[in-house]
Amino acid sequence: MEREVRGADGRQWKVTGQMEWRHPLQLDEFEHDVSGGNTPGVVISSFLVLFVVMLFLWRPEAVMTPAWLLLGLVLVVVFFPARWLLRRPWTLMAETKGDDEEHPPERWVGVVRGVVQVRQDAATTARNIEVYSQPSGDGPLQPVD
């Protein structure tokens, strides 16, 4: 995701967002700091798939499986991978090249979790740049040297 924005002072800013496949070090969420990596998710997913397979292998021939049960099982199996994909952390960055001594180069970086949230924060950041000539310090972005 990339967006060009012209600030109120005339500087050209580039607002970019990039999905991270690994958790960035800036993420200060405790539960991710102490997690055991991908192993718990793989083990639980394996047990869930094994349960679904055994449910269909051990059923008697005379039992009819309703379509809503199949749909429910598919939704349960697909829910957690879809949630994992939609809640990936994104690195959101706003940067500009310096024009002169009055306007030095600036770079603001932050981490946002989720596709919807990163789009909202990118739009808010772009609006703040258009109105105030820089991103808001109250948002997820912080200035970087």
Side-chain angles (χ1 to χ4, degrees):
M1 179 175 66
E2 189 171 313
R3 182 183 298 187
E4 295 282 334
V5 181
R6 180 168 299 281
D9 58 0
R11 291 187 293 174
Q12 193 70 20
W13 287 75
K14 187 187 329 182
V15 179
T16 59
Q18 180 179 0
M19 183 168 45
E20 302 292 339
W21 290 103
R22 297 197 181 273
H23 293 286
L25 294 177
Q26 302 105 321
L27 220 66
D28 56 349
E29 295 182 29
F30 177 73
E31 64 269 10
H32 294 293
D33 291 340
V34 297
S35 71
N38 297 335
T39 306
V42 170
V43 170
I44 290 173
S45 298
S46 300
F47 279 126
L48 182 63
V49 170
L50 181 66
F51 170 72
V52 170
V53 168
M54 295 309 290
L55 182 67
F56 287 106
L57 288 180
W58 281 0
R59 74 179 166 91
E61 300 262 343
V63 175
M64 297 295 293
T65 305
W68 60 266
L69 179 63
L70 295 174
L71 179 64
L73 290 173
V74 167
L75 288 176
V76 167
V77 170
V78 171
F79 173 76
F80 289 108
R83 181 181 180 275
W84 176 84
L85 187 63
L86 291 174
R87 297 284 299 153
R88 298 305 310 154
W90 285 68
T91 300
L92 188 61
M93 184 171 36
E95 60 186 344
T96 183
K97 297 177 181 172
D99 293 341
D100 52 18
E101 292 294 323
E102 184 181 344
H103 301 296
E106 290 186 50
R107 184 173 184 194
W108 295 58
V109 178
V111 176
V112 180
R113 182 173 289 284
V115 175
V116 175
Q117 189 66 38
V118 77
R119 293 180 74 83
Q120 290 174 352
D121 285 343
T124 302
T125 299
R127 182 71 181 143
N128 284 336
I129 289 171
E130 289 173 349
V131 174
Y132 303 112
S133 300
Q134 70 178 17
S136 172
D138 295 335
L141 298 180
Q142 299 300 319
V144 177
D145 291 333

